[in-house]
Amino acid sequence: MKKNQKVIKFHNVPVINIGVIIFGLIFIFLGVQIFRSSQQVRISVYEVQKSYIDTNITGSAIALRQESLVATDMSGYINYYIRNGQKVGKNATVYTLDATGSLADIIADASGDGVTLNAAGYAEIKSRISSFQNYFSDVNFSDVYDFKYDLESQILDLVNSQVLEELTSAGGTMASFSRIASSESGVVTFYQDGYEGKKPEEITLADYNKENYVSTSLKTGEIIQAGSPVYKLITSDIWNLVLPLSSEDAKRLQEDDRVTLRMPNVVHEVYGDITVIQNGEDYFANITLDKLMVNYCEERFIPIEIVMTQQEGLTIPNSAIVEKQVLRIPIDYLTTGSNSNQMIYFNVRILDEEGNLSVMQVAPDIYDKDDAYCYVNPNDFAPDAVLVKNDSDQTLPLTDVGRENRTGVYNANRGTASFRPVEILASDGDFSIISENTNYGIALYDRIVLDSSAVEEGQIIY
């Protein structure tokens, strides 16, 4: 007997692999996060530190003195009695004028067998060497060579002057030359540069262009024509240093009448009277001194440093600084909340869709307060909002509220860019010093957005 066999076919049911699904979801999540991360702008933050800025004002000043060029009335060869930078008395001989040129040969013959300097000459050389030792620095070793040439020139002048004195006192026959005396006492120099007679108020920025500066020696060694300048006489120890200023530095110095200076080759600080002068749109510090003129009588451009008060405070990068317009609301409109005693709220009138009026309290970001006004964030109000004074029917539309700009930074402590006002005390290069005591400002170790242009207020900081 044959058995009936009935075969039932089952459809293949796919087996769900939970592990594959989980790994797939994780892969999708990571892909989304990678994509979002690539689209986000990376915001760098800066931790506020405490430091200081040296706010001294430095630059190259023009030296102005009571100086005048002295010309000769006759033609001839010049032999000087006075060395560069030496003081001369009234009626003292400054130079001799030799009409024939024979005096130079007479001096050469007299000194041919060697001349021994007198005590005064040795004392002057010793003083010059001692002064150089006091101010010499290994950093500027090349100054040694300049000093060598200056010393050689000084010794030659001393020898010539001494020989000439000896010849004159011995009654030598020198009918071809004349002694020329100074009509005033002062300091003698032997160069001209066109700045003689300039006044501080006449100085312009073009005068500081050293490429156009030309200084000419009056010691030519050649025959001098009548009417030519032969030396320059400085008749006063009072002199001026004129330094160009930025408008910010001019404002800082505007109220000062005396300043402290640091000058090259002077170990101590120098004090002088100061006035700020304006020539067109440019500002200059006019510093009057009554000492050290002789030290710098041969220099027109002198590097100086005006010592200012050192500013201490919190350090922030200048890239973090931002300007924000804020509302200036009368402080009378500030009130406490219904469940708070803090004066941080404003009553804002609300008109609903049915035309009913009500009052809502808003607590905006407050940036500052004084006796008259409260300075708040305009983004926390509707543009057409109307403020209501507490316990009064008096109102104030925000369109009538004053506005002003405040300087600040974006605080990132809570993960969002929150504007905080700052008071800048001084700036130098890439950083500024701000006050530690600014109301509603930032504090030591706060985190701020490094580049304020990279974010907007309220933006989440990643």
Side-chain angles (χ1 to χ4, degrees), residues 186-215:
V187 175
V188 173
T189 59
F190 298 106
Y191 76 96
Q192 62 176 341
D193 58 6
Y195 285 73
E196 295 83 8
K198 269 187 177 290
K199 305 298 182 183
E201 57 272 14
E202 298 172 349
I203 293 295
T204 67
L205 290 181
D207 293 318
Y208 294 86
N209 187 351
K210 295 182 181 180
E211 293 182 358
N212 298 330
Y213 177 75
V214 178
S215 176

Side-chain angles (χ1 to χ4, degrees), residues 207-228:
D207 293 318
Y208 294 86
N209 187 351
K210 295 182 181 180
E211 293 182 358
N212 298 330
Y213 177 75
V214 178
S215 176
T216 305
S217 175
L218 299 175
K219 282 187 171 183
T220 62
E222 301 174 352
I223 189 170
I224 298 295
Q225 300 299 322
S228 300

Side-chain angles (χ1 to χ4, degrees), residues 388-455:
V388 180
K389 185 179 290 189
N390 195 40
D391 298 328
S392 171
D393 294 332
Q394 188 174 348
T395 60
L396 176 64
L398 282 188
T399 52
D400 296 339
V401 168
R403 288 167 167 78
E404 67 178 52
N405 287 334
R406 284 297 174 99
T407 302
V409 296
Y410 289 129
N411 187 304
N413 287 351
R414 298 183 178 180
T416 58
S418 178
F419 180 83
R420 290 291 178 266
V422 298
E423 179 187 356
I424 298 177
L425 302 178
S427 294
D428 181 22
D430 297 328
F431 290 87
S432 290
I433 293 293
I434 65 171
S435 173
E436 298 181 75
N437 303 314
T438 302
N439 293 331
Y440 303 94
I442 59 175
L444 185 65
Y445 304 128
D446 275 354
R447 291 158 58 85
I448 62 175
V449 176
L450 180 62
D451 183 4
S452 61
S453 64
V455 299

Side-chain angles (χ1 to χ4, degrees), residues 167-291:
L167 288 173
T168 304
S169 61
T173 303
M174 292 177 285
S176 64
F177 84 99
S178 303
R179 286 175 174 271
I180 310 299
S182 174
S183 60
E184 297 181 79
S185 62
V187 175
V188 173
T189 59
F190 298 106
Y191 76 96
Q192 62 176 341
D193 58 6
Y195 285 73
E196 295 83 8
K198 269 187 177 290
K199 305 298 182 183
E201 57 272 14
E202 298 172 349
I203 293 295
T204 67
L205 290 181
D207 293 318
Y208 294 86
N209 187 351
K210 295 182 181 180
E211 293 182 358
N212 298 330
Y213 177 75
V214 178
S215 176
T216 305
S217 175
L218 299 175
K219 282 187 171 183
T220 62
E222 301 174 352
I223 189 170
I224 298 295
Q225 300 299 322
S228 300
V230 290
Y231 69 94
K232 183 162 59 178
L233 187 65
I234 305 172
T235 56
S236 175
D237 288 331
I238 298 175
W239 58 305
N240 297 79
L241 291 171
V242 184
L243 179 71
L245 299 173
S246 66
S247 57
E248 293 80 9
D249 288 338
K251 185 176 180 180
R252 294 167 60 197
L253 293 169
Q254 194 72 52
E255 302 301 323
D256 295 336
D257 53 15
R258 195 160 178 83
V259 291
T260 302
L261 301 180
R262 292 180 184 143
M263 301 176 65
N265 299 327
V266 178
V267 294
H268 56 81
E269 293 181 334
V270 181
Y271 303 94
D273 297 330
I274 183 173
T275 57
V276 175
I277 56 180
Q278 184 175 2
N279 190 344
E281 297 181 354
D282 302 319
Y283 295 91
F284 302 88
N286 177 29
I287 304 166
T288 303
L289 304 175
D290 58 5
K291 296 180 177 64

